[in-house]
Every structure is written in C-alpha cells, then in structure tokens.
Amino acid sequence: MSKPNDFATVSELPCGMLSNDELNQILEARHGDPFHALGMHTAADGALWVRCFLPGAQSVEVINGTDKRLRGKLGKRHEAGFFEGPLKATDRFHYRLRVTWHDGQQAIIEDPYRFPPVLGEKDVWWLAEGTHLRPYEILGARVRELDGVIGTSFAVWAPNASRVAVLGDFNFWDNRRHPMRLRRECGVWELFLPEVPEGARYKFEVRAANGHVLPLKADPYALQSELRPSTASVVSHLPDYVPATEERRRANAHDAPVSIYEVHLGSWRRKNGHEWLNWDELAESLIPYAQDMGFTHIELLPVSEHPFDGSWGYQTIGLFAPTARFGDPAGFTRFVERCHIAGLGLILDWVPAHFPTDAHGLANFDGTHLYEYADPREGFHQDWNTLIYNFGRTEVRNFLVGNALYWLERYGVDGLRVDAVASMLYRDYSRKDGEWVPNQYGGRENLEAIAFLKRMNEVVGAERPQAITAAEESTSYPAVSRPTFDGGLGFHYKWNMGWMNDTLRYMARDPIHRKYHHNELSFGLMYAFSEHFVLPISHDEVVHGKGSMLKKMPGDRWQQFANLRAYYGFMWGHPGKKLLFMGCEFAQNDEWNADRSLDWHLLEHGPEADMHRGVQRLVRDLNHFMRHPALHQRDFDGNGFEWIEHSNAENSIASFIRHGADGSMVVVVCNFTPTPHNGMRIGVPRLGRYVERINTDSAYYGGSNVGTPFSATYAEHNGVSGKAHSIVVNVPPLATVMFEWQG
C-alpha cells in the first residue's frame, strides 16, 4: 500500500482509498467527521472497503463477526497505524478486526466505526427542542448493549465544536484514536466504544470552530468523578429508578412535622482526627444520631462533585456525580436507603445558580459561552468569581431540570434546597449601576431564570410529586412558595431569612435593651403565613466571623446558655418548619470550621459539659414534642396561631397559642429577661388542665429549675389579655415554657 504523499490529487487515488487530506486530518487529530473516513464504506465501483486507525498494530484482517471467516486483509497505509483495503464482498455485513500488534500478540476486536448512531430519533428531537426530561439517560457515558455488543456509549453536547474525541484509560489518552460523530440536529457528539467497562476514566478533547484545542473537559453528565485534585470522569452504572412511596409523601407534606438537621459531611465528624468518614460509616453514625435527636430530615450541603473543598460544595462541576470524597455512587445509594429505613428524609442542597471557571468544567465548553451567558454583566458572579448559567438557552435549562429529576428519581432523595435563588431572580443582584443588563422590558428581574425555576418546579411536581423543593431566597420576591398556576414560583418552601435576621439581632441585645426592640421578636408574625416558611439557622449564620450560636448570646456564661435555650424554645414554638445546622444542637463553642470535626468533646468532659449536654437534650425534646399536632399541622394556616400577648415589651415577654387541626392546643410563653415571674396570669381560650411539657430553664437542660408547681395548672374563669379564661404559671428567667392543653 502506498504512503499518502504518493498520490498528488484525489483523482489519482485508487477507488475506495481515503484522500490524503482526510488521512492527514485523522493522523493529526483534526477530522471532524470520522464516520465518513473510518469503518466500512462502499466505493464508487461498488466494492466494500474498511478503514481503521490502530496505532501499534502490525497487521489487520477483516473477519466475519459470526463465524470469523476471513473477508479481507487491510494494507498499512501509514506507519502511524492507518489501515485500509477492499473486501471480498459487495453486501455489508457484521465484521470484526483481527489485529496483530507489534509485540506479536493477536486479538479480535470490534470496530467502533461500524456501529449505528447511539441517539434515537426521538431523543434527538427532544434534545433539540429542550423537552427531554431525562437527558442523563442518553448523554454522558452509559454502559449499554448496541448491536449485540456490550460497551459504553459516550455523548456530549458541544454544537459549536469542529471536532470532539473521547480520551481515556481504554485508548491510552491518545487524542487521535476515537473522534466522535456529530448529530447536527441537536449538537451532540456521540460514539459507542465496545468493551469499555465501568470504572474506566475518561475526558473529552474539544476542538473549537477556530481550530483551537481546549483543555480536556470532564463530562457534564458524568455519574462519577475522580477525587480532587484529579479531574477525570469515570464510567459508572446509572442508578436504578427508586419508586415513590406514600410513606415518604406523607413525611414531606406541608402538615407533617419537619425538623431538618443541616450537615456538612466533611466536618460533621472525622476519624483519626482528620480522615473523612465514607458513606457506610456516615450511615452507621450520622443517621442514628439524627434519628435519636428527633430530626425528621437530614439536609446535606452539596454532594455533587466539586474541585475546591473551601467552596463546601457550592461550586460544583460534576452536577450528576456524588463526590468521591466519601466513596462511590453505590455508597451514596446505600446511605439514602439507610436514611429511609430509619424514617429520615434526605434533602440535598442544589446549586443551579452558578458554576466555577475551572478549565476542565463547563466554562467555554466548546470554544463558546455554551453554558454561561456571554456578557459578563449577565454571566459572571462578582461575589463568588463564578459563571452564571444561561437560563435562556433551552439545552441549559434541560440540563438543570434533568439533574433535579436525577437526584429525586435515581437516588430517591426527598427534596432539593435550591441555593442562592435571590441571585438568580435579579439581574442587578450585588451589582452597581452600569454593571448589569436590564431585561427586555427594562426591568431588573431575570425573566429567563424565573421561567427556569417555574419549569423545574412544575416538572418535579408532575414527575415526582412526593418530593419537595425549598428556596434560599432572601428578598421580598412574592409567592415563592405558591403554585405556578397561582402566579408563584412553585417551591414547596421558602427559607425565612427575615425572621432569622430579626430574631438573631434581638437575641444579641443585652436583655435590658430588648424592650426597645420587641418588634424584632414579633414582626415575623405579620407575614408568617404569606409563604410556606422554613425557619433556618444554617451554616451561613455560624461562619465568616459571625460566631457560634452560643457566642451570639449576651451575658455571662450561664446567661449565654439560657438565652440560647430560650431562643430554641421560641423557634420551635413559632409557626414554620425548622432547620438547624450541625453543632448548634449542642451549643458548639467556636465558629464552624469546615476543615475539622465538630467539637464533640464538649459533650464529654470539661466544666461546661453538662451545659452542652443540656442544650442537646433540649433540642432532642423539642424535636420529639414537635410531633404534637398543634406544633406542625397548621404551620401555614393563620388559624393555627393565636397571640396571647405580643406587646409586653416592658417585660420582654411573648406568649401565644398553637392550634392543631384536630382541636389540640399548646400555649407558649417566652421570657427574654433574667427576671422570673412567679404566679403570672396568662390568658387562655379554654378551661381544662394545662401541663408543662417543655421548660428550657429545667435543671435537666442546665437551667435554674424555676417552673410551675407540679408541672401543671388548671384554667380559671377570670380572663386576661382578651381571653375568656386564664392560667397561673411560673415563668422562668431567660426561658421558654410550653404547656399542652389536655381538656
């Protein structure tokens, strides 16, 4: 066989032989249409030819795929490993290649360039249209059988690239060996590689339209990734579909008790002082702890793969891959299953607002601003030095909506807490005049992001109605947790950042000054039922110089603990679902540090161990008492809340009633001064026995043990505070007391 430069023009080439120009493109990793050059082809004279590029091969024969009968020997056109030649056949057939390598070893292999397209016509249509609800089923690396052969199909969206190749362990990371086919209808490059197994590492080499070769790209749809600092994607099994259950639907309902334990897995607890626990070790320790503490849900800071530990997972690149920090995806599957066996829901923090600029990630993916807005006034987050998804692009919206369904359906998680929603809603978020682009109507709202959020919530509601979504939204944007058909964004819950800021500001004040700021305590009830609120004490409140929850409290050491216990009592009595960040449940002394374990030793020894254990006992009891119908059934119904006294600013006392849908009732009395009030008369609407169920001043919690005698009192006919009846109780200093009405 002749060398490529033996033929000056195409007309001089024998019929069926590849042109010199295309051959050079193959050898130089520039060919953008490999199926035109490689595989089986019919020449102009009707003869069948096979062409292949196999670096390291000495000779190549074409054999019948079933009986291994020899059908032709290919000539070596170029020493780099390019072979081609005619066959003794005119009708196409299933063939295989018998290769003799330079070391004399012989192997029979499948030719990737003999296989039909990977994507079906409906998949192509839905991808182009932006309506494919589960694009992860066909994009990325998926182990499958094609034409009777087991292998892995690779598919990646890069519509503006001139060439894309898949590189990996299976081809010695040689960028020449496996260029991909472009499906122009949807901009997806695809290739089926026989015998590539699970566990194989891979990346994509993308050549931009101008010929520039970009840094190797990780797969946006990878189901598994390497542990940082390595950045390759890993071929992994698509998790099985997890059926929805009535039990989980009820546990996630608006009228269910919900108390969420927010956890950063890397710093909840470590072994040997510095090592992360793996998924199974976390299942053995974290799940029983959260269950014993009475939490109903665990919420994990983002577990999607991310390159930088210091981002806590909020700058994710592998949106479909559970981070390798704690093991493989199968381990995460077991963790979710263990949560549900224990009766715990699992919520994931989810980050569709932005992504990091790392070269192996989504940035400039095909040589253009594919996933991000091109204009930095729209596409660059100044606060976090990250890029903003282009929510106006159908394929990007499809990518994100599909990812939401993936975690809910394929791992069976109970919900997604959507991070940084405020930054998505407004184009001028954290920007000065001239640094942002108005929408088409001249306004500041990001209409594309709003449409995306509505679409995501609608799809989740239709496809996974048992699941919940919660918005971290810090502005007064209306109807965040109302259905889209009612003009809302469609979230199930909204974090009540206003309540959190107001009440923490109040608690930080010296009790002597609190009477002048009583509205900070009560104002949240002015709008408590305008949304479906979660009351969040999250990681953001105990980091970056804000101090721990305990350190926020004023006074001497005893008063700090007493203030914190009183605040937790008020929080659990207040309408709304509850969220508490890890460590806050035992009054962690120091600010959260993501690089080390929580200070569990505070519970075991030291002069304040009893006080820390007391706070922990209180949170446990609050969570268990929250199962009382009055404290959860009507969290979002104004008829479930009734003020007794909201204007007793002089004594910094607030008292109110929580009503259950079943007629049950709990009276909550909060005293935010160090002055006890013995024999205080509290108005109530009904006669009967009122039993003290929670007293944050109990000695059991580390308090002074002031309480109502015999822990019970009976209502009398003389009413106060506009109520027909009253009870006489002892109100402890810096404490919250809850009384259950027993009729």
Side-chain angles (χ1 to χ4, degrees):
M1 188 71 66
S2 303
K3 302 294 187 293
N5 58 4
D6 289 344
F7 302 100
T9 65
V10 173
S11 60
E12 295 176 352
L13 287 171
C15 187
M17 186 176 288
L18 192 66
S19 71
N20 292 339
D21 180 56
E22 285 197 86
L23 175 56
N24 285 327
Q25 290 180 47
I26 292 290
L27 300 178
E28 297 168 6
R30 293 187 292 109
H31 205 297
D33 188 9
F35 280 83
H36 179 267
L38 302 173
M40 179 179 285
H41 297 271
T42 302
D45 60 3
L48 284 180
W49 280 61
V50 167
R51 310 186 193 108
C52 61
F53 181 54
L54 296 171
Q58 180 176 314
S59 64
V60 179
E61 297 174 323
V62 178
I63 61 174
N64 192 293
T66 54
D67 59 15
K68 299 182 182 179
R69 182 163 53 94
L70 181 66
R71 306 300 294 272
K73 295 183 178 181
L74 305 185
K76 193 171 189 178
R77 171 101 176 258
H78 195 281
E79 291 301 322
F82 186 85
F83 295 81
E84 64 181 347
L87 307 180
K88 300 174 182 177
T90 55
D91 295 327
R92 290 176 175 266
F93 60 95
H94 172 190
Y95 70 92
R96 301 174 77 188
L97 303 175
R98 184 158 55 206
V99 183
T100 301
W101 301 100
H102 281 311
D103 60 5
Q105 297 290 319
Q106 194 175 81
I108 295 176
I109 66 172
E110 296 282 355
D111 181 4
Y113 297 97
R114 79 160 183 84
F115 288 90
V118 173
L119 302 185
E121 292 306 313
K122 286 185 178 179
D123 290 324
V124 169
W125 178 273
W126 290 334
L127 288 173
E129 190 178 58
T131 57
H132 203 304
L133 296 184
R134 298 168 181 86
Y136 60 82
E137 293 181 347
I138 55 171
L139 297 179
R142 301 294 171 262
V143 177
R144 66 179 66 203
E145 180 179 315
L146 187 62
D147 202 15
V149 177
I150 300 295
T152 297
S153 64
F154 296 89
V156 60
W157 179 56
N160 303 302
S162 61
R163 178 185 185 270
V164 178
V166 57
L167 285 62
D169 297 328
F170 40 83
N171 61 17
F172 309 103
W173 297 88
D174 186 338
N175 66 342
R176 303 169 299 167
R177 292 175 184 252
H178 290 132
M180 305 171 76
R181 169 200 281 124
L182 173 62
R183 303 297 298 275
R184 297 186 183 279
E185 313 96 301
C186 59
V188 171
W189 298 77
E190 60 168 27
L191 185 66
F192 176 75
L193 292 182
E195 300 180 354
V196 171
E198 287 189 34
R201 301 176 306 139
Y202 69 98
K203 281 187 176 181
F204 296 113
E205 182 188 76
V206 180
R207 183 182 287 269
N210 62 6
H212 175 66
V213 177
L214 304 174
L216 292 182
K217 293 289 187 179
D219 181 3
Y221 283 90
L223 304 181
Q224 185 176 351
S225 299
E226 285 188 296
L227 177 62
R228 57 95 180 105
S230 300
T231 56
S233 302
V234 179
V235 177
S236 183
H237 171 73
L238 182 64
D240 294 333
Y241 177 84
V242 179
T245 67
E246 177 62 19
E247 178 185 13
R248 294 313 313 157
R249 187 193 69 79
R250 283 298 313 145
N252 297 329
H254 281 142
D255 61 353
V258 174
S259 181
I260 303 166
Y261 188 45
E262 188 189 40
V263 175
H264 175 258
L265 291 173
S267 60
W268 180 73
R269 191 187 292 273
R270 294 193 176 189
K271 57 187 177 183
N272 302 323
H274 65 280
E275 296 178 32
W276 294 312
L277 302 179
N278 62 36
W279 289 117
D280 293 319
E281 291 167 333
L282 287 162
E284 291 293 334
S285 54
L286 171 59
I287 291 173
Y289 176 77
Q291 183 184 33
D292 174 68
M293 287 295 296
F295 290 101
T296 63
H297 294 69
I298 295 173
E299 180 177 319
L300 301 180
L301 271 62
V303 299
S304 298
E305 196 57 80
H306 51 282
F308 177 46
D309 291 357
S311 77
W312 313 329
Y314 290 102
Q315 295 189 11
T316 183
I317 281 184
L319 214 57
F320 287 83
T323 176
R325 289 165 174 81
F326 314 114
D328 61 18
F332 181 61
T333 296
R334 293 191 297 273
F335 180 83
V336 180
E337 291 173 347
R338 291 284 295 276
C339 283
H340 290 161
I341 290 171
L344 291 170
L346 186 68
I347 300 170
L348 300 183
D349 277 13
W350 187 56
V351 192
H354 61 122
F355 59 91
T357 59
D358 299 63
H360 70 281
L362 300 179
N364 194 39
F365 191 81
D366 64 355
T368 68
H369 298 286
L370 190 62
Y371 283 88
E372 68 271 25
Y373 287 105
D375 191 329
R377 294 176 298 171
E378 299 177 284
F380 186 75
H381 250 307
Q382 298 176 340
D383 290 352
W384 304 311
N385 293 321
T386 53
L387 299 172
I388 301 171
Y389 287 103
N390 183 346
F391 302 111
R393 192 157 197 165
T394 56
E395 297 90 344
V396 174
R397 293 198 302 269
N398 221 36
F399 170 73
L400 294 171
V401 172
N403 184 251
L405 272 188
Y406 168 75
W407 292 106
L408 298 170
E409 292 185 338
R410 293 293 176 159
Y411 284 107
V413 302
D414 291 80
L416 302 172
R417 174 269 197 186
V418 183
D419 181 64
V421 170
S423 76
M424 301 171 67
L425 296 177
Y426 300 103
R427 289 174 164 268
D428 64 345
Y429 179 85
S430 196
R431 294 178 188 272
K432 300 175 183 177
D433 290 344
E435 295 179 346
W436 59 282
V437 179
N439 63 35
Q440 59 183 314
Y441 303 110
R444 57 193 287 256
E445 295 79 11
N446 188 328
L447 303 179
E448 296 90 350
I450 292 169
F452 156 70
L453 291 171
K454 290 182 177 181
R455 167 70 174 164
M456 182 274 295
N457 283 317
E458 288 170 349
V459 169
V460 168
E463 301 295 321
R464 196 72 174 185
Q466 79 170 64
I468 56 177
T469 60
E472 186 216 10
E473 205 287 300
S474 56
T475 74
S476 57
Y477 191 92
V480 170
S481 58
R482 292 287 183 260
T484 57
F485 62 76
D486 195 25
L489 290 182
F491 286 95
H492 298 82
Y493 298 105
K494 173 181 174 175
W495 275 24
N496 195 337
M497 312 294 281
W499 174 90
M500 178 271 298
N501 285 315
D502 286 347
T503 58
L504 286 183
R505 188 182 308 113
Y506 177 84
M507 293 304 301
R509 301 184 188 280
D510 188 298
I512 199 171
H513 301 304
R514 285 174 177 168
K515 62 183 178 181
Y516 303 112
H517 304 277
H518 199 65
N519 63 307
E520 293 174 340
L521 194 68
S522 60
F523 181 68
L525 271 305
M526 297 291 290
Y527 59 87
F529 308 106
S530 63
E531 299 273 8
H532 298 148
F533 281 123
V534 172
L535 309 183
I537 301 299
S538 75
H539 64 279
D540 280 330
E541 309 320 313
V542 293
V543 75
H544 295 327
K546 294 181 181 179
S548 68
M549 285 297 292
L550 185 62
K551 290 287 184 68
K552 295 179 192 293
M553 303 296 140
D556 60 27
R557 200 61 171 162
W558 187 92
Q559 289 180 333
Q560 284 185 307
F561 277 99
N563 271 299
L564 184 58
R565 294 193 304 267
Y567 180 70
Y568 285 166
F570 170 71
M571 175 178 173
W572 260 257
H574 196 286
K577 307 309 181 185
K578 315 300 186 285
L579 180 142
L580 192 65
F581 184 57
M582 64 181 199
C584 297
E585 81 277 12
F586 62 82
Q588 168 108 354
N589 199 38
D590 294 329
E591 247 188 14
W592 171 50
N593 184 340
D595 296 325
R596 63 178 178 86
S597 173
L598 295 178
D599 293 332
W600 295 102
H601 65 273
L602 295 175
L603 295 164
E604 299 166 2
H605 50 78
E608 296 178 337
D610 285 343
M611 302 293 282
H612 290 285
R613 286 195 296 267
V615 175
Q616 187 184 49
R617 292 188 190 110
L618 173 64
V619 172
R620 181 189 291 114
D621 288 352
L622 286 169
N623 278 333
H624 285 291
F625 187 51
M626 187 190 62
R627 266 71 171 184
H628 193 290
L631 292 178
H632 68 262
Q633 284 183 342
R634 303 170 85 179
D635 272 324
F636 311 124
D637 178 359
N639 293 320
F641 177 88
E642 180 182 359
W643 276 115
I644 298 173
E645 184 62 76
H646 63 81
S647 58
N648 192 350
E650 186 62 31
N651 294 308
S652 298
I653 287 179
S655 53
F656 52 87
I657 302 169
R658 296 294 306 278
H659 295 278
D662 59 353
S664 60
M665 191 170 71
V666 170
V667 173
V668 182
V669 183
C670 307
N671 176 12
F672 290 106
T673 72
T675 303
H677 298 274
N678 294 324
M680 189 172 191
R681 191 170 291 277
I682 304 292
V684 293
R686 302 177 196 164
L687 292 172
R689 185 170 184 256
Y690 289 78
V691 180
E692 184 183 273
R693 291 302 191 194
I694 294 288
N695 179 353
T696 68
D697 187 54
S698 166
Y700 182 64
Y701 305 135
S704 60
N705 223 30
V706 173
T708 298
F710 310 111
S711 298
T713 185
Y714 287 85
E716 301 173 4
H717 285 287
N718 49 330
V720 295
S721 303
K723 305 296 186 254
H725 312 287
S726 64
I727 57 176
V728 177
V729 300
N730 291 341
V731 180
L734 295 174
T736 293
V737 188
M738 297 185 185
F739 296 90
E740 178 189 17
W741 172 72
Q742 293 189 340

